[in-house]
Structures are given as structure tokens and as C-alpha cells.
Amino acid sequence: MAQRTLARYLTEEQRNKGAITGDLKFLIEIVSRACLAISVAVGKGGLGEALGEAGSDNVQGEAQKKLDVLSNDILLDANEWGGHLAAMASEEMDLPHLVPHRFPKGEYLLTFDPLDGSSNIDVNVSIGTIFSVLKCPEGADLSTPEAAEKAFLQAGTQQVAAGYAVYGPTTVLVLTVGDGVVAFTLDREQGQFVLTQEGLQIPAETKEFAINMANQRHWEAPVQRYVAEMQAGRDGPLGKDYNMRWVGSMVADVHRIMTRGGIFLYPVDAKMKDKGGKLRLMYEANPMAMLVEQAGGAASTGRQRILDIEPTHLHQRVAVILGSKSEVERIAAYHRA
Ligand code: AHG
Ligand code: MN
Ligand code: MN
């Protein structure tokens, strides 16, 4: 039987199920081509010019790597001419990027973390790209980048598609258009994404957790309690032994959870309380939350479902607790106790 490529999957979602529009299909295909180009750049490593510091900071005051900037440019260039987008926003840009006047504009908004896991770039550990698609509200003011920010401030429940590409031993694109979660593996010889998993489901129970233990002394009481219980293992209240994994690239940690279950926590802690958390809502937490929920898992700040948060600004940060449903619910209950 012929391979089911990403293009074919999207065509079937459009034609047979009416789940997506032609423009959304086009948008996702373009994003996938950009991910392929980023995968090639990442794969060159020390052979290319791409490793090392860019010598600049992003809007959040983080030092940019050359590959952060390159990946951002690849996504901007790929998406601005197609006529499917109204505007784009990225971790690496202070303000939204408007579609230049010489190109037609479409009804979608795209946000992305062009390269997630920057600290892992130079050490050859998995990194990725995360993206989220929203519809541009009717009559939105797109006259300036400043004015356009408002159009993006929509709850995660409004996302029409979300996905990530993980650049690991293989490049895998994981996608939802609100019809379950599917995964495509990059066939490097053919230069295309081929469907390798359908209907991804995160197991409800787990024995694996991911958290940066170096922050332990800053955590709030409910997170302290939950992690202490996991560490107590089979002798503790959870009655089973847990294992810990922390890649330090959200994409890779979430991909492990998508594949074999687990729980990921980047909670708000005392040293970042004024910022609201570490991870960014619009292009990290929301797309991952949509994917995780579509795979039968849950995503919460501990106090609220992530997808229900009404954003107030583009680069807003949030606490993220996501993965196996029963574990996320347990931590949420500890926050209420
Ligand atoms: P980015 O590289 O896009 O800034 O994101 C890094 C994020 C996320 O990928 C990861 O889970 C987390 O930061 C790692 O944080 P620590 O350095 O605290 O482990
Ligand atoms: Mn990131
Ligand atoms: Mn990033």
C-alpha cells in the first residue's frame, strides 16, 4: 500500500472529514517544510555555521543561539508569502510579524517556539519546534505589530491545530487538528513526512516523572508533597516506585510522555512567581496542552486547565503540569487541599 504522507493525511482530513480547510492544510504543509529545513540545519551540527551564540538577546532577555535565529527566519520566510496567514508571533520576536503588503493575507494566526531546548543545541541532545494555529478574529486591527498583539490573545481552546517537531535520532512531527493526535517520521531520503502513528493515547497511569529537581527548594507545597510521595516509592502513599527523566527540552520530554506516558512539571516557584512560571503560554504550554488533551491526557497549572487561560500578553508565562490524566488530577487536588 502506498505510504500515507503528511500531504495525504491532510487531504483526507479536508476532503473526507471536513475537519480542516484548504488554507489550514496548506499552512500545516508549509510549517512541515520549514521543520524539514530546520532539521537539516540542526543535523549539520559542527559541519555548518550554525552552532554557538548569536550574540543577541530575545525579548525575554535570554541569549539567542544562532540556530534560534535561523529557525525563526526559516519559519517566517516559509509562511509569509502563502496567503493563508494574517500574522505570526514567536518566542524570538518582541512583537507579531505582519504579512508584508506585497502578499495576500489569510484568516489564520501562527505562533511558534522555533527552537525549543536551546541549552541542548551545542551538546547534540534532542531539540524541537513547537507551533500553534489560531483563527484571526474578524475585524482585528492588524495595522501595526503593536495593535496586532491583541488578535493573538485567545484561550488555548480556540486553537485549530497544534504540533511539534522533535529533532532527535529521527525527526518526528506530531500533530493535532482537533481530531486526535498523529505522528509522522521524516523519511530523509524522500524528504517527506510519513505517517507512523495514529490515535496516540497517553496511558492514564505512569511511573515516570520529569521535573528540574534543582529548583526543589523554591517549589510550592502541593508540588513538594507530590514529588516527595513519588520519591517515597512503593513504601509511600502512591504505592509504587517512580523513575525520573529530565531532558531539558520540553519537546523531547513531552514526546516521551506521548510515547509511553509520564508526567511533566515546570511549576511556578518562589523565584519566578512574579513572572508566572518559566514556560510560555502561547507557543509552549497551549500547543502542548492541546496535543496532550487530544491524546487523552491532561494539562493544568495546578490551579486551572491550561487551555482555559485567557491570555493577557503574547509572551506570558505559566506553570505547566501535563501528561497522564490521573497524575495531573492528583496534583490539581493537592493544590485545592
Ligand atoms: P527554550 O529553549 O525555547 O527557551 O525553552 C527551554 C525550556 C523548555 O524546553 C525546557 O523544558 C525548559 O526550558 C528547561 O528548563 P531548565 O533549563 O530549567 O531545565
Ligand atoms: Mn521552548
Ligand atoms: Mn525556543
Side-chain angles (χ1 to χ4, degrees):
M1 197 184 129
Q3 285 184 325
R4 284 182 78 198
T5 58
L6 175 66
R8 180 162 173 184
Y9 170 81
L10 293 172
T11 300
E12 288 169 2
E13 286 294 306
Q14 181 195 1
R15 198 168 56 200
N16 305 353
K17 295 194 180 174
I20 57 172
T21 62
D23 266 9
L24 183 54
K25 170 178 176 280
F26 187 46
L27 188 166
I28 294 168
E29 283 201 74
I30 287 184
V31 169
S32 81
R33 303 305 295 183
C35 290
L36 194 157
I38 296 170
S39 173
V40 170
V42 165
K44 285 201 195 308
L47 298 175
E49 302 282 300
L51 293 189
E53 306 294 326
S56 50
D57 286 351
N58 67 14
V59 54
Q60 349 219 356
E62 299 161 341
Q64 291 175 307
K65 300 276 184 182
K66 282 186 194 164
L67 269 173
D68 285 323
V69 177
L70 181 70
S71 304
N72 193 57
D73 289 347
I74 288 173
L75 280 155
L76 292 180
D77 289 349
N79 278 287
E80 57 177 26
W81 53 268
H84 53 287
L85 280 183
M88 291 178 258
S90 159
E91 178 191 350
E92 305 303 340
M93 301 182 301
D94 192 352
L95 293 168
H97 177 89
L98 301 178
V99 172
H101 289 306
R102 63 185 184 279
F103 299 123
K105 282 164 204 57
E107 60 173 332
Y108 294 105
L109 299 170
L110 175 65
T111 69
F112 45 82
D113 175 353
L115 208 56
D116 174 68
S118 299
S119 73
N120 283 324
I121 294 175
D122 293 342
V123 292
N124 198 16
V125 171
S126 296
I127 47 183
T129 297
I130 312 172
F131 65 93
S132 156
V133 186
L134 292 161
K135 275 195 147 174
C136 189
E138 290 233 350
D141 181 355
L142 300 175
S143 56
T144 62
E146 287 80 3
E149 178 171 351
K150 191 155 176 275
F152 286 87
L153 303 181
Q154 306 179 41
T157 49
Q158 300 303 306
Q159 292 171 106
V160 292
Y164 63 80
V166 55
Y167 313 116
T170 50
T171 289
V172 176
L173 180 76
V174 176
L175 173 72
T176 182
V177 293
D179 181 27
V181 180
V182 284
F184 302 85
T185 302
L186 177 63
D187 180 329
R188 294 185 201 274
E189 282 77 45
Q190 305 284 342
Q192 60 184 357
F193 285 99
V194 178
L195 187 70
T196 41
Q197 265 178 297
E198 268 186 286
L200 268 78
Q201 282 290 317
I202 298 174
E205 308 281 339
T206 183
K207 290 177 165 183
E208 215 162 51
F209 71 98
I211 191 165
N212 185 342
M213 292 294 294
N215 297 326
Q216 183 161 24
R217 69 191 186 285
H218 304 294
W219 297 339
E220 294 179 327
V223 175
Q224 294 282 7
R225 174 181 171 190
Y226 178 70
V227 175
E229 288 181 358
M230 286 192 291
Q231 287 177 302
R234 72 174 64 188
D235 302 327
L238 303 181
K240 56 182 173 179
D241 290 333
Y242 280 75
N243 200 7
M244 195 200 88
R245 287 287 182 272
W246 182 253
V247 179
S249 298
M250 186 194 202
V251 160
D253 281 308
V254 170
H255 190 62
R256 184 186 58 255
I257 291 170
M258 282 290 189
T259 309
R260 65 177 189 214
I263 177 138
F264 171 95
L265 302 98
Y266 215 122
V268 62
D269 67 31
K271 74 175 158 34
M272 58 174 77
K273 207 154 191 156
D274 50 329
K275 289 184 177 166
K278 161 131 186 183
L279 298 173
R280 280 60 54 113
L281 176 64
M282 301 300 294
Y283 39 81
E284 290 179 319
N286 268 343
M288 291 308 199
M290 182 179 183
L291 287 158
V292 164
E293 285 200 6
Q294 284 285 319
S300 167
T301 64
R303 298 181 167 85
Q304 187 183 10
R305 179 184 178 218
I306 285 177
L307 293 180
D308 284 337
I309 298 171
E310 293 291 342
T312 52
H313 52 278
L314 195 54
H315 299 289
Q316 170 170 351
R317 295 173 189 256
V318 280
V320 176
I321 299 169
L322 60 76
S324 299
K325 196 168 190 172
S326 56
E327 305 276 331
V328 175
E329 281 169 358
R330 176 183 287 273
I331 303 167
Y334 290 0
H335 280 80
R336 291 190 296 271

